Amino acid sequence: LFCGLSGIPNNRSASINRYMAIGEVMSSTNEVIFINRFPLFKESEYGSSETINLFRIIDATNTKYRPISFFKRNIIKFVSFIFEYKTIREINKEKKIDWLNIYTQFFIILLFYYFSSKIFKFKTILHYVEFRSTFQKRNWLFRINDLLFDRYAVFLCDKIIPISRTLNN
């Protein structure tokens, strides 16, 4: 199971390309499922996506397109944890989740996945791509997040895939 990012398969950012490439490799011997936490694209921006038969993609909120309403859009983001929790629970009932791949920069989201792993008894893999506490010119809330993430993320996951030797060290 791959969680933490949204916009799969249409958002072709470096992080999603990397995430999907790892999923593609793993799909030869595993069923791979991606969960989109919330919709990123307006219906008019939603280009045609390539058909990807290697894995299943689930929209946790059951909302395919980004709502036009600012209020509705932010409510969906705020309650996306509930939808994602229910989705993880349903997938785990359907077939036991072995591993949860996590790609996030937010400590609170990592904690959510950590507690989910304890509840549903699966292992976690963190894709560690930035040493966030070295970022300059971030507001105090992000600096706290970055410090917590860099100091404690390694203790909340079973395995870590760092993007560089510096992060590995």
Side-chain angles (χ1 to χ4, degrees):
L1 185 61
F2 286 75
C3 294
L5 290 175
S6 292
I8 296 169
N10 288 69
N11 183 1
R12 292 311 221 167
S13 65
S15 54
I16 288 183
N17 283 338
R18 181 178 183 277
Y19 220 31
M20 288 178 63
I22 292 168
E24 210 171 302
V25 169
M26 295 177 81
S27 70
S28 64
T29 57
N30 302 285
E31 179 179 9
V32 173
I33 303 169
F34 285 89
I35 295 178
N36 285 318
R37 292 188 64 225
F38 47 82
L40 290 181
F41 300 104
K42 296 177 188 173
E43 191 169 2
S44 61
E45 297 172 338
Y46 200 82
S48 62
S49 67
E50 58 190 70
T51 303
I52 300 173
N53 296 323
L54 300 174
F55 33 80
R56 202 164 100 193
I57 299 170
I58 299 172
D59 295 312
T61 60
N62 291 323
T63 306
K64 185 89 172 154
Y65 305 111
R66 180 180 172 174
I68 295 169
S69 162
F70 173 82
F71 180 72
K72 187 174 181 181
R73 194 168 53 241
N74 286 294
I75 290 294
I76 287 174
K77 284 181 188 177
F78 184 72
V79 298
S80 67
F81 285 107
I82 296 166
F83 288 108
E84 192 168 20
Y85 176 81
K86 288 180 178 181
T87 303
I88 290 171
R89 186 183 67 204
E90 289 171 16
I91 292 169
N92 198 53
K93 278 183 188 177
E94 181 185 317
K95 52 191 82 192
K96 176 77 175 98
I97 298 169
D98 296 319
W99 288 93
L100 175 72
N101 286 272
I102 304 166
Y103 199 116
T104 188
Q105 64 177 328
F106 301 109
F107 187 73
I108 193 76
I109 294 174
L110 180 61
L111 278 176
F112 166 74
Y113 293 130
Y114 170 76
F115 289 123
S116 296
S117 76
K118 298 307 173 200
I119 292 167
F120 298 116
K121 300 185 183 347
F122 51 73
K123 295 188 184 275
T124 56
I125 302 170
L126 175 65
H127 296 259
Y128 191 39
V129 297
E130 299 282 353
F131 193 53
R132 300 201 170 281
S133 56
T134 62
F135 290 174
Q136 301 296 315
K137 298 181 183 177
R138 306 252 292 174
N139 72 36
W140 66 272
L141 194 56
F142 277 113
R143 286 196 310 261
I144 291 170
N145 172 75
D146 297 344
L147 183 67
L148 289 171
F149 197 93
D150 288 341
R151 286 222 176 130
Y152 300 109
V154 296
F155 301 111
L156 299 177
C157 297
D158 297 295
K159 302 287 180 186
I160 298 174
I161 301 175
I163 201 168
S164 70
R165 286 192 177 136
T166 301
L167 291 175
N168 192 44
N169 293 337

